[in-house]
Amino acid sequence: GAGVSQSPSNKVTEKGKDVELRCDPISGHTALYWYRQRLGQGLEFLIYFQGNSAPDKSGLPSDRFSAERTGESVSTLTIQRTQQEDSAVYLCASSVRWSEQYFGPGTRLTVT
Amino acid sequence: TQLLEQSPQFLSIQEGENLTVYCNSSSVFSSLQWYRQEPGEGPVLLVTVVTGGEVKKLKRLTFQFGDARKDSSLHITAAQPGDTGLYLCAGERYTGNQFYFGTGTSLTVIP
């Protein structure tokens, strides 16, 4: 596709369950970012991948959060033992250069 | 503590009015970006400013980067209903790979 895609678009899960969110970046984009956006707020940086370098995980809020990326393709964000405060929209962005991020539509996660 | 503060947080104006949104920080940034986000979608990049004092124009939108590279403003002339959305600024630090996003300004333009 032409843009960044994310799946699922919506996810409702019970507290304590694990969830996996997927991001397909734009082909050829070496950098990939995950952000969290709570309702009506700005974006909170979670993790950054650049090529084969070690990811910058400094934004992950707890050890329940992890992310993987295979080469320069798909990335998955995993949240273990979900809690209600994890409810938010999770956005993925990819870029060729740091200063031009292209965002996906996001996954809206609701933890009940 | 938010690194970038935006003001106002909410703005509702009539079509045809002018407005300015501010993005302020005590930190210095190597570049600063402005995005617009519509409900249910991801943010879309509007502009990147990289030089202190730089002014960029995009049709009715004027973006300015402060001389000290700590703040920025977005001015919209003759606002239209299509300008409605959440406006976000994002700063890139000299160290690290992170973009720090502002708190956002929710703009509603009433026809």
Side-chain angles (χ1 to χ4, degrees):
Chain A
V4 177
S5 61
Q6 292 185 245
S7 60
S9 55
N10 282 284
K11 177 71 177 178
V12 180
T13 189
E14 292 180 353
K15 178 182 173 181
K17 295 284 181 70
D18 298 352
V19 294
E20 257 192 20
L21 312 180
R22 177 187 169 107
C23 172
D24 282 89
I26 294 172
S27 177
H29 281 195
T30 56
L32 187 147
Y33 301 78
W34 282 98
Y35 295 90
R36 178 169 68 181
Q37 185 176 31
R38 293 204 165 97
L39 185 63
Q41 297 186 19
L43 276 62
E44 176 187 359
F45 168 81
L46 296 177
I47 189 168
Y48 163 72
F49 295 91
Q50 173 61 57
N52 294 317
S53 302
D56 177 353
K57 303 180 181 180
S58 60
L60 295 178
S62 77
D63 59 9
R64 297 187 295 106
F65 287 72
S66 62
E68 294 184 351
R69 187 184 187 194
T70 306
E72 296 181 355
S73 61
V74 172
S75 176
T76 56
L77 176 69
T78 302
I79 308 174
Q80 296 178 310
R81 305 181 302 282
T82 52
Q83 310 202 351
Q84 288 185 333
E85 63 260 31
D86 299 335
S87 295
V89 174
Y90 289 83
L91 289 160
C92 171
S94 70
S95 70
V96 173
R97 300 180 299 168
W98 292 355
S99 292
E100 297 180 21
Q101 295 181 68
Y102 295 84
F103 283 83
T107 293
R108 180 175 299 278
L109 175 65
T110 303
V111 182
T112 61
Chain B
T1 303
Q2 199 76 24
L3 201 61
L4 281 164
E5 295 286 345
Q6 288 185 237
S7 61
Q9 185 177 0
F10 298 97
L11 189 56
S12 181
I13 62 171
Q14 295 290 330
E15 182 176 0
E17 293 183 352
N18 301 334
L19 66 115
T20 302
V21 176
Y22 299 93
C23 174
N24 295 300
S25 177
S26 58
S27 299
V28 177
F29 296 96
S30 59
S31 69
L32 198 136
Q33 302 176 324
W34 284 92
Y35 291 81
R36 182 172 70 211
Q37 183 179 24
E38 298 188 17
E41 299 182 8
V44 175
L45 179 67
L46 296 173
V47 77
T48 300
V49 285
V50 297
T51 306
E54 181 176 3
V55 176
K56 277 192 174 179
K57 293 191 175 183
L58 184 65
K59 296 184 180 178
R60 294 176 294 100
L61 279 60
T62 302
F63 305 86
Q64 185 163 8
F65 199 12
D67 291 341
R69 312 171 75 95
K70 294 182 179 180
D71 54 78
S72 181
S73 64
L74 158 60
H75 182 79
I76 301 179
T77 303
Q80 299 179 1
D83 296 329
T84 293
L86 179 69
Y87 288 81
L88 295 159
C89 64
E92 179 184 6
R93 299 290 296 275
Y94 285 101
T95 57
N97 306 314
Q98 290 187 32
F99 281 89
Y100 295 86
F101 277 80
T103 47
T105 294
S106 180
L107 171 65
T108 302
V109 181
I110 303 166

